[in-house]
Amino acid sequence: MNTTGPRKPHGLAAVVAVMAATLTPTAQTAHADDRPTGALLTCAGTVAASYAPGLTFTPRATSVTSRAVVGCPLSTDSRFTSATFGGDSTGALSCLLGPAGGTLTFHWGNDEGERKGKMSPHHGDPGGTTSIASIHSLAAVRPNGNIVTVSTGTITDGVFKGAAVVTEVTLLASRQAACLTPQGLTSASGPTTVTITRV
């Protein structure tokens, strides 16, 4: 083992502590696939979701479809600095609480590819690299009245396979008046974050 080689910077460890996630470097050999190893991404953007039937303050079986666009300012691989993602989930949901489960599909790209007009075959997303995650979600009301849904899961296929994924979506309190109507809240949008850590 070479003890005189360059040491890895300690800045990554500080970032991981801030994000409350742990990244454990391990010795890696070359893989036949193009999957990055030891990767960590933190992304932020906006998400739009639709609910069928609409959400009220009474839990009922509901299907959720979502689509988001995010940028990833914290990335250990320059190929992955932006993404679109979306998916479907179901659960007994209300405007206040409710667990749900489903899948998310991520299409990763980078800002340089977008500027140069390099588009992938995946719905026009740059980069052409995909991840599929199995997730479980739980919604909760925060003290400011916003409803925050936190989803956790594992990437089961594609790039970052085996990594842990956490998404957080905020439904602003100003939209919750629709929960009192007979049709309920049928769509919403708001800020979202994504954190992916190699485990």
Side-chain angles (χ1 to χ4, degrees), residues 100-176:
T103 61
L104 288 176
T105 299
F106 295 83
H107 300 297
W108 301 101
N110 60 72
D111 296 332
E112 182 178 357
E114 288 180 309
R115 289 193 297 269
K116 293 180 178 179
K118 296 178 180 179
M119 310 303 284
S120 82
H122 300 294
H123 306 289
D125 298 326
T129 307
T130 303
S131 303
I132 298 175
S134 175
I135 60 162
H136 298 278
S137 306
L138 185 64
V141 179
R142 296 294 173 86
N144 58 9
N146 294 337
I147 298 173
V148 177
T149 301
V150 177
S151 303
T152 61
T154 302
I155 295 179
T156 59
D157 196 16
V159 72
F160 307 123
K161 183 177 180 180
V165 57
V166 178
T167 70
E168 186 172 292
V169 177
T170 300
L171 172 60
L172 303 179
S174 59
R175 294 296 315 275
Q176 295 173 31

Side-chain angles (χ1 to χ4, degrees), residues 80-92:
F80 307 102
T81 59
S82 63
T84 61
F85 69 91
D88 300 293
S89 59
T90 58

Side-chain angles (χ1 to χ4, degrees), residues 27-111:
Q28 299 283 349
T29 58
H31 293 276
D33 61 18
D34 194 33
R35 191 179 69 204
T37 58
L40 170 67
L41 294 90
T42 300
C43 314
T46 57
V47 62
S50 60
Y51 309 96
L55 299 178
T56 67
F57 288 111
T58 301
R60 57 181 173 179
T62 305
S63 297
V64 183
T65 300
S66 64
R67 181 167 175 81
V69 178
V70 296
C72 307
L74 177 58
S75 173
T76 58
D77 191 316
S78 61
R79 294 173 297 169
F80 307 102
T81 59
S82 63
T84 61
F85 69 91
D88 300 293
S89 59
T90 58
L93 307 179
S94 74
C95 278
L96 296 179
L97 299 169
T103 61
L104 288 176
T105 299
F106 295 83
H107 300 297
W108 301 101
N110 60 72
D111 296 332

